[in-house]
Amino acid sequence: MTDCSNSLENFDFHKIFENWDDGVLITDSQGFVLMHNQAYLRLTFLPFESLVGMNMRELIRKKYATNIASLRVLEDRQPVSMTHSNEKGTIVVSSNPVFDTHGSIAVVVTFVRELTEIVRLREELMQAKEIEEMYFKYNQKEYSTTHNVPIAVSKMMNHTLVLAANIAQVAANVLLTGESGVGKDVIANYIHKQSSRKEAPFIAVNCAALPENLLESELFGYDSGAFTGAARAGKSGLFEAAQGGTLFLDEIGDISQSFQAALLRVLETKEIKRIGAVKPIKIDVQIIAATNRDLEEMLKAGEFRSDLFYRLNIFRIKIPPLRDRREDIIPLGMYFMNLFNNQYHRQKRLSHEVLRQLTKYDWPGNIRELRNVIERMVVMSNGDYLSVSELPESLRNDFELHPSVIVTGIMPINYAIEETEKQILTNALRTYVSTRKIGHILGIDHSTVVRKLKKYRLN
């Protein structure tokens, strides 16, 4: 059997202390330093290569400190904790007495920990808690049946919803503008549900998806024998189907000028004529139109009728792109994940790294692109947690490590190394919260990461 006591006596504990992320200092009963690790010097910002043999009172005399925990322990004979802050950071110092068999203080052991790391870990924990709450809040089955409000956490989107709810109280025409995929159809439906017409039909039609002749027959309907192939009994159009309710005309900027004239007549007369019919039909329909095109520029270019524009533009709501309301990205991602988990009978979860990467991406395709990304990951992922490696390449570009470095000029080697280190650490901080994770990814010790972040003043 191995003699553990002999092994410990011969073991160099200084090696253990040097590998600790926390600073360690051991002083004797008179305040002289017996040993410390380099982390202690780094965290306390003391400009010495070694403190061994120095009395801690020297630090006070030389004005490196005004209050030292280990000296307080010698006075109070009990553990002491204190916090020190300066422009470089905040640390927590904890000193503890170790008594000999006679009840006298033999040594004082001091530990120093960076408070910013503790705060960061606490923030990570709080963020994880918030994410867990979102998993339950935005469960697709419960949210879709108990909420009639689109998901909005950002102030910008909440302001949009308040505006939409106010406009819903009148029956005037509404023009929704915004980039493709921002959710104009969702806002249109929200206006309908907030209005007095909510019990009547909500009919949506994509004007860009139908050729002009088919669009006219779909919207206005047709009488018997109106054209070759027409149904014998004729057919009512979408204006009639939406009677008393709301007709949503998406991509209104894509209709031809001849159809613009036909639509203008409907808005002016509140009547439609089926194709091939003689008698007009009175309609009571609220029109909500939407476009991702700049109608004012189309007016200048003569591509859109000004009279139709002013008829549609009684109330206008501009829906902000997803990149301008990043607070909504995670809740929307959670909602879609739960939606597709239910649809495909999966139990996938979004990892913390994926969520951070989702919020960094600019989403040129907006909510539609986010929905497609989440659906693909839920379907294709093999693990329980959706990982960064399963993100589309466009979302991984900033995340992945690129080993090649291109140098186009001449500079001092030390400067080049420091600049490269700084850029690598900056990129890593955009993706990871934990310095331990950064160390793992970059292949260096956690303590080295912390030291270099302080060196380059990176948060």
Side-chain angles (χ1 to χ4, degrees):
M1 187 173 180
T2 305
D3 188 340
C4 295
S5 60
N6 288 338
S7 298
L8 291 174
E9 287 176 4
N10 296 325
F11 195 84
D12 186 358
F13 284 97
H14 195 270
K15 291 182 179 179
I16 297 178
F17 296 150
E18 280 302 329
N19 287 317
W20 282 13
D21 297 326
D22 296 341
V24 181
L25 174 81
I26 301 177
T27 57
D28 65 13
S29 60
Q30 302 302 313
F32 287 95
V33 178
L34 300 177
M35 65 176 296
H36 62 81
N37 62 2
Q38 287 301 306
Y40 180 85
L41 294 177
R42 173 174 55 80
L43 292 172
T44 55
F45 306 108
L46 293 173
F48 300 102
E49 292 184 5
S50 175
L51 298 177
V52 175
M54 182 185 295
N55 193 289
M56 295 300 285
R57 293 177 180 85
E58 281 292 307
L59 299 179
I60 296 177
R61 281 196 288 270
K62 292 180 179 180
K63 297 183 179 181
Y64 288 114
T66 56
N67 197 2
I68 296 177
S70 59
L71 297 179
R72 285 271 304 276
V73 169
L74 294 177
E75 295 174 5
D76 301 342
R77 294 176 56 83
Q78 62 183 9
V80 173
S81 291
M82 56 180 63
T83 302
H84 295 288
S85 298
N86 59 26
E87 70 280 0
K88 297 180 181 179
T90 302
I91 56 174
V92 177
V93 180
S94 300
S95 292
N96 298 273
V98 178
F99 297 93
D100 60 21
T101 56
H102 303 291
S104 300
I105 294 178
V107 294
V108 177
V109 181
T110 299
F111 294 95
V112 180
R113 173 164 291 183
E114 188 180 24
L115 188 60
T116 51
E117 181 67 12
I118 297 173
V119 171
R120 184 175 292 160
L121 291 172
R122 183 181 298 165
E123 289 175 350
E124 248 187 275
L125 182 62
M126 293 300 295
Q127 190 172 22
K129 185 178 179 181
E130 290 175 5
I131 290 171
E132 191 67 24
E133 290 173 354
M134 286 184 188
Y135 274 112
F136 292 102
K137 180 176 180 180
Y138 298 113
N139 180 276
Q140 190 271 333
K141 286 182 178 178
E142 294 180 4
Y143 193 89
S144 60
T145 55
T146 59
H147 295 72
N148 290 321
V149 182
I151 293 173
V153 174
S154 64
K155 289 182 180 180
M156 187 177 291
M157 197 59 196
N158 273 297
H159 174 75
T160 301
L161 293 184
V162 169
L163 180 60
N166 290 335
I167 291 174
Q169 305 310 307
V170 296
N173 298 332
V174 183
L175 178 63
L176 304 179
T177 62
E179 297 177 6
S180 179
V182 293
K184 295 186 285 291
D185 55 334
V186 174
I187 299 301
N189 196 275
Y190 175 67
I191 293 173
H192 172 74
K193 288 180 177 179
Q194 296 295 311
S195 73
S196 59
R197 298 171 178 264
K198 60 185 176 183
E199 302 301 330
F202 173 83
I203 305 294
V205 57
N206 187 330
C207 299
L210 298 171
E212 183 178 344
N213 60 338
L214 187 55
L215 180 63
E216 186 176 2
S217 65
E218 284 294 311
L219 286 175
F220 301 148
Y222 55 84
D223 269 358
S224 174
F227 51 84
T228 304
R232 181 174 298 179
K235 180 185 176 183
S236 61
L238 295 179
F239 270 102
E240 292 177 71
Q243 193 71 270
T246 304
L247 182 64
F248 175 49
L249 301 176
D250 198 7
E251 306 296 353
I252 195 70
D254 289 59
I255 62 175
S256 67
Q257 291 206 351
S258 61
F259 192 76
Q260 290 176 31
L263 182 58
L264 177 63
R265 283 194 299 271
V266 173
L267 298 180
E268 289 177 337
T269 64
K270 305 292 183 183
E271 293 179 344
I272 61 154
K273 264 188 188 180
R274 292 185 178 183
I275 298 174
V278 177
K279 290 182 61 178
I281 301 172
K282 283 285 182 184
I283 57 165
D284 174 24
V285 174
Q286 180 179 16
I287 302 297
I288 301 178
T291 182
N292 60 1
R293 302 184 66 179
D294 188 335
L295 293 187
E296 278 91 347
E297 287 298 319
M298 293 181 68
L299 289 178
K300 294 177 184 177
E303 299 172 352
F304 201 87
R305 295 179 61 111
S306 59
D307 44 8
L308 176 59
F309 173 76
Y310 296 123
R311 283 283 182 180
L312 294 173
N313 193 40
I314 296 175
F315 290 103
R316 188 194 298 206
I317 300 176
K318 184 176 181 180
I319 304 172
L322 194 53
R323 63 181 173 275
D324 289 344
R325 48 186 174 108
R326 294 181 187 272
E327 302 97 319
D328 296 329
I329 293 175
I330 290 180
L332 285 166
M334 297 289 191
Y335 175 78
F336 291 137
M337 187 201 60
N338 284 316
L339 171 70
F340 295 120
N341 272 340
N342 291 326
Q343 180 175 333
Y344 297 112
H345 307 290
R346 303 291 178 90
Q347 295 294 326
K348 304 297 183 180
R349 309 275 278 191
L350 290 165
S351 69
H352 183 68
E353 287 83 2
V354 167
L355 291 173
R356 282 182 59 80
Q357 197 65 9
L358 294 181
T359 57
K360 285 172 50 184
Y361 184 59
D362 279 343
W363 298 105
N366 292 293
I367 298 175
R368 184 183 296 120
E369 183 182 8
L370 174 61
R371 178 190 175 105
N372 292 342
V373 166
I374 299 298
E375 181 175 15
R376 178 189 172 195
M377 292 178 72
V378 168
V379 173
M380 302 300 293
S381 172
N382 294 319
D384 293 334
Y385 277 84
L386 305 181
S387 66
V388 172
S389 62
E390 292 157 327
L391 285 169
E393 185 178 354
S394 57
L395 273 79
R396 294 198 314 267
N397 283 342
D398 291 337
F399 184 93
E400 293 174 340
L401 299 175
H402 300 285
S404 60
V405 177
I406 299 174
V407 179
T408 57
I410 299 174
M411 66 187 76
I413 294 296
N414 289 340
Y415 175 78
I417 292 173
E418 288 185 350
E419 281 299 304
T420 303
E421 281 186 345
K422 186 176 180 180
Q423 290 180 38
I424 291 172
L425 288 168
T426 300
N427 291 336
L429 281 172
R430 289 180 183 146
T431 303
Y432 301 104
V433 174
S434 169
T435 52
R436 295 182 186 279
K437 184 70 173 178
I438 292 175
H440 174 73
I441 292 296
L442 300 185
I444 58 179
D445 292 337
H446 164 257
S447 58
T448 303
V449 174
V450 174
R451 186 173 68 254
K452 288 184 181 295
L453 291 178
K454 282 196 170 294
K455 175 183 177 181
Y456 299 122
R457 298 183 179 180
L458 299 173
N459 294 320

